[in-house]
Amino acid sequence: KVFTRPAEGIITSEMGPRWGSMHYGVDIAKSGNVQIKAGANGEVSRSYLHSSYGEVVFIKHEINGQKYETVYAHMKSGSRAVKVGDKVTEGQFLGWMGSTGNSTGQHLHFEVHLEYYIYGKTHQNPLLYIK
């Protein structure tokens, strides 16, 4: 396994078909103030407000010669603690779990991609990569 679990909580939705479309990540939900943390050392490639991901951070990693990009979506508004180009360490605070963007309740939507993020093409099942 490659990444540490990015947040506390229960898995409420796995990767797979959902509501007539594909759900490309895993959802981890918990109430209260819940920290979202980097799954591994890397560099922030994107950090912004997206229409469906809401407040989101993308991190590029290189682990044992393999490149990955992870996605941390639906953070609490205004809570992103990192910006593009920041070097992050495994377990570093990225922001607070929230419900921004296309979301029905507080949770973290976490994605793992091989090489780099291409929507619908490079997604991997995060549960196969979380320690």
Side-chain angles (χ1 to χ4, degrees):
K1 307 286 181 160
V2 180
F3 299 103
T4 59
R5 190 179 174 108
E8 293 180 359
I10 60 166
I11 293 172
T12 56
S13 185
E14 295 184 17
M15 183 172 166
R18 185 176 78 169
W19 304 322
S21 64
M22 185 66 176
H23 183 239
Y24 287 115
V26 62
D27 292 344
I28 302 170
K30 187 176 179 181
S31 61
N33 292 323
V34 183
Q35 292 189 1
I36 295 170
K37 299 176 180 181
N41 296 346
E43 182 175 331
V44 177
S45 52
R46 303 183 208 184
S47 178
Y48 66 112
L49 178 60
H50 183 273
S51 59
S52 63
Y53 283 132
E55 297 283 353
V56 62
V57 169
F58 291 66
I59 301 174
K60 289 187 175 179
H61 314 269
E62 187 164 343
I63 302 166
N64 298 324
Q66 175 63 58
K67 292 180 181 177
Y68 300 92
E69 191 163 16
T70 52
V71 180
Y72 309 78
H74 307 306
M75 291 184 187
K76 189 174 183 179
S77 185
S79 76
R80 281 178 292 117
V82 294
K83 64 186 183 311
V84 172
D86 284 354
K87 304 278 197 242
V88 296
T89 56
E90 183 175 334
Q92 182 175 329
F93 175 75
L94 302 176
W96 295 101
M97 189 181 287
S99 187
T100 56
N102 187 4
S103 170
T104 57
Q106 179 169 294
H107 72 285
L108 167 66
H109 172 83
F110 177 66
E111 296 179 11
V112 173
H113 298 261
L114 282 183
E115 297 296 329
Y116 50 90
Y117 174 91
I118 303 174
Y119 185 78
K121 305 273 190 212
T122 56
H123 299 78
Q124 303 298 306
N125 183 344
L127 296 181
L128 301 177
Y129 292 86
I130 297 173
K131 293 177 191 170

